[in-house]
Structure formats: structure tokens, C-alpha cells
Amino acid sequence: MRMHPLHIDIPKPERFTYPFYYEPHPLCQLAAKEVQGYIDSHADIKEDADRGKMFGVLIVTPSTPLSPSAPCYFLAAYSGLLAGRNDWDYFVPPVFDAQQPDGHFKQEEHAISAMTDEEQKEARKQRSQELQLWLFHQYQLLNAQGETKDLVDIWQDYHKEKVRRKFPLPPGGTGDCCAPKLLQYAYQQGLKPICMAEFWWGASPRQEIRHHLQYYPACRGKCKPILTWMLQGLEVDPDPETLGFPHLAIETVYEDEALLVVNKPSGLLSTPGRIEQYSVERVMQQRYPESHVAHRLDMWTSGLLIVAKNLTVYHSLQQQFLKHQVRKRYIAVLEASPKQGRLEGSGTISLPLRPDPVNRPCQVVDYEHGKCAVTDYEFLSEDIVALYPQTGRTHQLRIHCAHPEGLGRPIKGDELYGTKSDRLYLHAEQIWFHHPVSGEPMHFVLPFQYGNTTLFNNK
């Protein structure tokens, strides 16, 4: 049985979940617990899931009520294959089943594998590409309006020409994530989607950071083009990025004729974004038209930020950053970790990073293709650590804290690599540099207020 009853009368949401940024609805949380119980009670499924697997739930209502005691139902799905299979009765089927031994895909795949001679290399490559194209055409995806479009057309229609030239086809595995499977089955069965959520089960991959039983949004690289199509016809929660963010005030810590040092609050961009324009740089340019932010802090990181009042000063500061002549110290509050022993002392983390192309803006650890990223750390207490970045990679401090090969404890409030909270508890507390005009050594300190405690250690 693939449609599972929920015997509880919780008010349904007014609109469908925005799949790339959401808080799981209580109905989804209840459904997820039932799926987790099912996984736990089936040894063959659990053994595979324990290695690391994304699961999803979709709350649905049938066009005709089936039972007064079950006002709604849920569907369950997993990404890719589960224990080498995609035909589990408890879970919805794949959008297209390429695993049939007698099917075209498996037969052709076997024939390509048999082409082992060196002179067949180019022919094997060409045949593989043709098979991949054939496979993507088999993914005939529905939307809420009853329309159908295959995966190749969805990808081409979604992306601009520049992206299409570089990536004419979707990445391998596109269409096999939880969300497309769930929506496809619901549409095929005449069910109305209500809300959806996805959670991770098991060990974290080495590259990505995933936590057991934590909820995650749908991946943007593979799923955003598909879901943009499949959700047409549903009333969906708005994308929070399109709603704008509060225009927070910016406190000046220091100012002279050449530059400013400001306190960037958490929740404010350093420079204009793709959608949101309000930022430290735009505010400063209203006062000083030639000003530029000399470096960046993540939107949810607070603390000290240098602003150059003109291009000459900006370029001078940039040279200091390029030559690693600027030192910074951050304070981070880490999530509690009951499963891990006490962390203390100091040390250095070196984990190379690169962007995750299928799940931007996330970064991943990649020892082969990643760029060098090095952070010194010093524990100030069991949960509070001072971080001294030697390099400036995107999300460097967040990943170095969260990754099992780093500190293994996410920064509190890190919704990308840990658990969401009221804010990201990462603060740029101190900065050292030389004045770009006078050459004078400059050192600024901005203590971090954590609850009723001011975190400060002037080293």
C-alpha cells in the first residue's frame, strides 16, 4: 500500500510547501516519524539507509474521502535506489524504471560495457551519451494542470542559453530525487498535494554535511527546474528570497577620511544580491558614492566589516587581503553534541572546499578538486570557539565546524549545515590590518553579545 492514512485532524496549510526553503508542517513531521519507524523495523532497508539516504513525505488528500477517521494521507519516497531496488510497496515508484533487466536501458548499458577495446573508446562515449539522452526523454513529468513535459524540455526551458550551452542535459540522477517521485505519483493517482518535507537518514556523505533525521530542502541544481514545472497549477508558499529582508541599521565602529569599520548585523547582505539590493555597500554608497566593501561576511554572520571610501583605498586593502596581511578572529557558538566527547584546546583544520553545483549555495569538501581552506581554532569554553581563518573560502568556517573531519559540531543556527535557530551564531569579533594611507597598524574589537553574556577575550 503506497497511500498511508494519518488518523489525526490537524489543520492543513493554506498553500503548498515552497520546497527550497521551509519549516516542516506538523502533518509532515507525523508522516516522517511513521516512515522512520518503518525503516527502523525493516532490517534490509535500514542497513542500506544507515549508509546515508534522503527520504521524503508528501501529504495528500483524495478527491473522494476514503475514511472519516483519516482526513488525509501521506506518500513516502527515497532518493535513487534503496537496497538496490526501486519496487518497494511502501514507497512510491520511480518516475521511470530504468532497472528492468530486459528493458532497453539495461540491455544497452550492458552492450556499452562490453565495448572494452581501445579503438571503441569514442564509439562507446557516443553511445553512452545517446543512451543518457534517451533515458531523460523517458521522464514524462506531470504538473498540477495535467500537462506533461519530458526532462530534456524542462531543463532547456528553465535555463538561459548561456547555461544550456555549457550544460545541455541535466546531471545524472535528475528526476530520481524524492520530490519529483512524490508529486508524479500523486498526480497520476488524482491526489491533491498538501505539503511536503524531506529528511536525511544515516551517515553523512564525506563531501556533504547531512545529519541523521534532520529536514532538508529539495536540491536546487537537479530539482529546481523540475519542481518549477511540476508545481504549476498549485498555490505554493512564496519564495522567501522574493519577499525581501528587513532594512537593518548599520552601526559605525570607526571612521576617517579613507575608510569606515562598521558592525554588520546578522541578516544583512554585505553587497547587493541577485534579488535583494539592500546591503552594507548600497547604504554606504548613498553616503559616499565611490565607496566599496573591502571584504564580505555571510548574510547571517555579524561583526566587523571594512568599507573603503574610494577605489584607491579599496585596491590598497584588496592587496592586503590577497597577501594574507589581514588577520580576523571570529567567535562561534557550537550546537550541543551529546554523542561526541568534550572538545577543547586548539588546533588547525584543513579541508578543501568547492561549490556544490546541484545544491547551491552549499559548499562541499573535495580533496581532489576543492580549493585549500585552512582555519585555526581555539576553544574558549565547551561550546564557544574562536576561529582564525587563514583563507577566505565561501562558508569555510561553517563547514570546518560542522564537518566530521573538522570539529564535527555545526555552528548554532546554521540551517545549511546544522539546525536552524533565531540566527547564525557566528560573529566577526576582531580584525587586524594596516591603514591603506598612513600604514599605521589598525586593530578593532567588537565583542559578541550571547544572551546575557558578552563573549570577549582580547588576544
Side-chain angles (χ1 to χ4, degrees):
M1 180 180 179
R2 286 168 169 155
M3 193 164 71
H4 313 286
L6 280 177
H7 297 283
I8 188 165
D9 193 10
I10 294 177
K12 301 178 185 67
E14 293 182 2
R15 294 183 295 264
F16 187 77
T17 309
Y18 179 72
F20 305 102
Y21 190 98
Y22 64 89
E23 290 289 335
H25 190 272
L27 287 169
C28 287
Q29 292 176 332
L30 286 171
K33 287 188 181 297
E34 291 206 21
V35 176
Q36 291 157 14
Y38 182 86
I39 297 168
D40 228 3
S41 62
H42 290 73
D44 47 355
I45 291 177
K46 185 176 184 302
E47 181 181 0
D48 187 58
D50 283 346
R51 300 187 184 100
K53 176 71 67 176
M54 193 73 80
F55 291 85
V57 293
L58 174 66
I59 307 301
V60 295
T61 56
S63 55
T64 303
L66 303 180
S67 169
S69 64
C72 60
Y73 297 77
F74 74 88
L75 307 174
Y78 49 85
S79 61
L81 299 175
L82 182 59
R85 292 170 48 189
N86 58 15
D87 59 351
W88 298 95
D89 289 340
Y90 185 85
F91 299 96
V92 301
V95 175
F96 176 75
D97 186 0
Q99 300 301 312
Q100 295 298 318
D102 297 330
H104 174 73
F105 183 81
K106 281 297 181 184
Q107 291 290 316
E108 184 69 3
E109 190 177 53
H110 178 73
I112 293 170
S113 298
M115 300 170 66
T116 56
D117 294 341
E118 183 63 27
E119 59 267 23
Q120 294 178 301
K121 185 176 180 180
E122 283 302 316
R124 185 169 64 246
K125 180 180 177 182
Q126 177 65 28
R127 200 163 166 180
S128 295
Q129 291 173 344
E130 290 173 354
L131 180 59
Q132 186 67 69
L133 179 61
W134 175 89
L135 179 62
F136 284 147
H137 280 307
Q138 308 316 302
Y139 283 75
Q140 300 287 325
L141 293 149
L142 292 161
N143 65 19
Q145 298 171 148
E147 301 167 325
T148 302
K149 187 182 288 189
D150 74 41
L151 193 51
V152 176
D153 288 340
I154 289 173
W155 181 265
Q156 294 281 337
D157 292 346
Y158 178 82
H159 287 292
K160 295 180 180 178
E161 184 179 354
K162 182 179 179 181
V163 176
R164 295 199 305 268
R165 283 200 304 267
K166 190 173 182 180
F167 303 104
L169 293 178
T174 301
D176 292 323
C177 297
C178 298
K181 290 182 178 181
L182 290 165
L183 289 169
Q184 183 81 351
Y185 186 80
Y187 294 148
Q188 288 173 338
Q189 303 302 315
L191 305 171
K192 181 182 179 182
I194 302 300
C195 53
M196 181 169 60
E198 298 180 51
F199 66 89
W200 182 263
W201 178 287
S204 177
R206 193 179 184 201
Q207 287 189 325
E208 300 174 273
I209 297 171
R210 293 285 185 264
H211 302 281
H212 183 54
L213 303 186
Q214 184 162 316
Y215 293 94
Y216 289 92
C219 64
R220 290 176 177 263
K222 291 182 179 179
C223 286
K224 194 162 188 182
I226 296 175
L227 298 185
T228 299
W229 163 256
M230 297 189 80
L231 293 176
Q232 290 182 23
L234 285 183
E235 190 176 359
V236 182
D237 283 338
D239 178 354
E241 291 183 355
T242 65
L243 300 178
F245 295 92
H247 287 194
L248 302 173
I250 303 168
E251 173 192 356
T252 298
V253 176
Y254 169 84
E255 182 175 5
D256 63 25
E257 292 183 356
L259 58 85
L260 302 96
V261 178
V262 302
N263 175 13
K264 188 193 85 65
S266 175
L268 179 63
L269 291 167
S270 297
T271 58
R274 181 174 56 87
I275 296 175
E276 178 61 58
Q277 297 296 304
Y278 187 82
S279 60
V280 173
E281 187 163 86
R282 280 295 166 87
V283 171
M284 292 297 109
Q285 287 174 346
Q286 291 176 0
R287 306 179 195 173
Y288 310 101
E290 296 184 3
S291 64
H292 292 274
V293 169
H295 57 114
R296 297 185 186 187
L297 297 176
D298 283 348
M299 179 175 182
W300 302 108
T301 301
S302 60
L304 295 165
L305 191 66
I306 307 171
V307 180
K309 287 188 173 179
N310 57 61
L311 280 175
T312 301
V313 172
Y314 171 76
H315 290 310
S316 176
L317 288 168
Q318 285 291 291
Q319 286 301 307
Q320 292 189 47
F321 278 101
L322 289 172
K323 295 176 181 178
H324 302 286
Q325 295 171 341
V326 180
R327 292 177 54 219
K328 292 182 282 185
R329 166 176 150 133
Y330 293 76
I331 298 294
V333 180
L334 304 182
E335 286 185 7
S337 180
K339 295 182 180 180
Q340 185 168 320
R342 178 184 175 91
L343 293 173
E344 55 187 12
S346 60
T348 300
I349 302 164
S350 181
L351 294 174
L353 305 177
R354 65 163 174 81
D356 183 350
V358 302
N359 200 23
R360 293 183 182 275
C362 291
Q363 309 289 304
V364 297
V365 173
D366 187 337
Y367 284 95
E368 183 178 358
H369 303 292
K371 293 183 178 179
C372 175
V374 181
T375 304
D376 297 323
Y377 68 88
E378 174 190 15
F379 273 88
L380 307 181
S381 70
E382 185 174 358
D383 298 324
I384 300 170
V385 64
L387 302 167
Y388 305 86
Q390 294 184 28
T391 52
R393 308 300 178 202
T394 301
H395 295 177
Q396 174 177 318
L397 301 182
R398 297 164 71 171
I399 291 187
H400 281 183
C401 287
H403 198 274
E405 296 176 28
L407 298 182
R409 292 177 61 186
I411 297 172
K412 183 178 178 182
D414 189 345
E415 62 184 281
L416 290 181
Y417 310 107
T419 305
K420 187 176 181 179
S421 184
D422 58 319
R423 62 156 291 178
L424 175 68
Y425 282 78
L426 178 62
H427 177 75
E429 180 219 33
Q430 299 188 45
I431 192 164
W432 295 260
F433 63 99
H434 286 86
H435 196 280
V437 176
S438 68
E440 177 187 357
M442 310 290 283
H443 176 210
F444 296 95
V445 179
L446 185 64
F448 184 27
Q449 191 70 32
Y450 176 48
N452 296 322
T453 304
T454 299
L455 306 179
F456 172 62
N457 185 2
N458 189 10
K459 288 188 179 180

